[in-house]
Amino acid sequence: MPSFGLIGRKLGHSFSKEYFETKFDELNLTDHSYNLFELDDIDEIEKILKLKPKGLNVTVPYKEEIIPYLDRLDDSASKVGAVNVISLEKNAFVGYNSDFYGFKTSLQHWLSNTTLKALVLGTGGASKAVIAALDDLGIESVFISRQSGENRLTYSQVTFDTIEQHRLIINTTPLGMYPEVNESPDIPYNSLTTQHYLYDLVYNPEKTVFLKKGEAKGAQVKNGLQMLHLQAEKSWEIWNG
């Protein structure tokens, strides 16, 4: 019986189980199952891997922490430095990254102007896929984080000029995600204009406070639902060779 699942810390918001169970129904794959595995610590993954699932999705906060538990990485995961898809292949667990494909494709569908500079809010596993995709598209980007570093600003360092020069702003943090729907990244929203584009990887709620604040200033906004569908389909493609 082919089994699949999602690993993460809090999965009450997850869209994956319903998505794949619907796919199994549509394809009449009555012997397939998709389960949610909430792990308090990444070490708990060992008992999941012992079950030999055919495929797993990986979400926050384990996209980087999962890597040492895998037998090898596909080029997509090596390039990004994070894993969100695991496939069992010839008794070996192989890590892939479909976030890169999902984000890049959805951004290309939405954004015609690739001469923009981007701010990437957050430095977790999802942000790495976003940065890799932006690099691939030739879009210059800067990380915004709670800690300073190379090619990285802190939220307190984001000024009017920073916002003016970077007209594509991408939220890769879980801020604003259900159930903490009133939260948003701490940036100067008053600096936004009709020339800005705000992309939120969060898809639940459909319109986060981050997007609402952008929309109030006339910015173009997009949530992460299309990216999610694209990366989920890529996961299915990976699992089925």
Side-chain angles (χ1 to χ4, degrees):
M1 179 175 176
S3 64
F4 302 86
L6 173 68
I7 68 165
R9 185 165 289 157
K10 294 180 181 178
L11 302 177
H13 67 282
S14 172
F15 124 114
S16 299
K17 184 175 174 67
E18 183 180 355
Y19 186 87
F20 284 108
E21 286 182 343
T22 299
K23 178 173 283 293
F24 299 157
D25 287 342
E26 289 172 350
L27 298 175
N28 199 30
L29 299 171
T30 55
D31 61 339
H32 285 45
S33 64
Y34 194 98
N35 300 291
L36 300 180
F37 301 106
E38 290 194 343
L39 310 182
D40 291 325
D41 189 272
I42 190 58
D43 288 345
E44 296 174 36
I45 189 60
E46 291 182 345
K47 63 186 179 186
I48 307 302
L49 296 180
K50 284 178 182 176
L51 300 174
K52 297 291 183 182
K54 185 177 179 182
L56 293 168
N57 292 117
V58 184
T59 190
V60 290
Y62 300 129
K63 294 184 180 186
E64 296 162 284
E65 292 181 33
I66 190 67
I67 292 174
Y69 296 88
L70 305 177
D71 297 298
R72 64 182 175 86
L73 298 183
D74 174 74
D75 289 346
S76 61
S78 296
K79 180 177 184 176
V80 172
V83 166
N84 75 308
V85 182
I86 300 170
S87 178
L88 181 60
E89 301 172 11
K90 297 180 181 177
N91 218 36
F93 286 107
V94 184
Y96 292 80
N97 192 293
S98 68
D99 282 338
F100 170 84
Y101 166 80
F103 175 74
K104 181 183 173 184
T105 305
S106 68
L107 190 67
Q108 286 176 305
H109 287 169
W110 183 53
L111 196 68
S112 57
N113 183 359
T114 55
T115 63
L116 301 175
K117 293 181 180 180
L119 294 181
V120 179
L121 312 181
T123 54
S127 72
K128 294 192 170 187
V130 165
I131 289 288
L134 293 174
D135 286 347
D136 222 41
L137 293 169
I139 297 176
E140 187 180 324
S141 59
V142 176
F143 277 122
I144 308 299
S145 173
R146 286 172 291 186
Q147 297 177 318
S148 60
E150 187 179 351
N151 193 39
R152 183 181 300 189
L153 299 173
T154 63
Y155 284 94
S156 62
Q157 292 174 314
V158 179
T159 64
F160 173 87
D161 286 342
T162 312
I163 298 291
E164 187 177 44
Q165 292 167 22
H166 298 81
R167 292 193 285 120
L168 173 59
I169 305 175
I170 303 150
N171 177 39
T172 74
T173 78
L175 289 171
M177 183 169 69
Y178 180 85
E180 275 82 38
V181 296
N182 294 319
E183 296 184 357
S184 62
D186 185 16
I187 62 170
Y189 292 94
N190 284 338
S191 304
L192 297 173
T193 68
T194 56
Q195 301 301 308
H196 282 84
Y197 298 81
L198 270 60
Y199 190 125
D200 200 333
L201 267 58
V202 173
Y203 59 89
N204 183 11
E206 183 179 333
K207 199 166 283 183
T208 58
V209 171
F210 169 72
L211 295 184
K212 288 177 180 176
K213 287 180 176 179
E215 207 169 46
K217 302 298 289 185
Q220 299 294 310
V221 301
K222 183 176 179 64
N223 71 15
L225 191 60
Q226 185 186 36
M227 172 185 170
L228 195 68
H229 281 252
L230 287 164
Q231 70 87 4
E233 284 303 310
K234 179 61 78 171
S235 298
W236 185 245
E237 183 182 310
I238 289 166
W239 294 331
N240 290 282

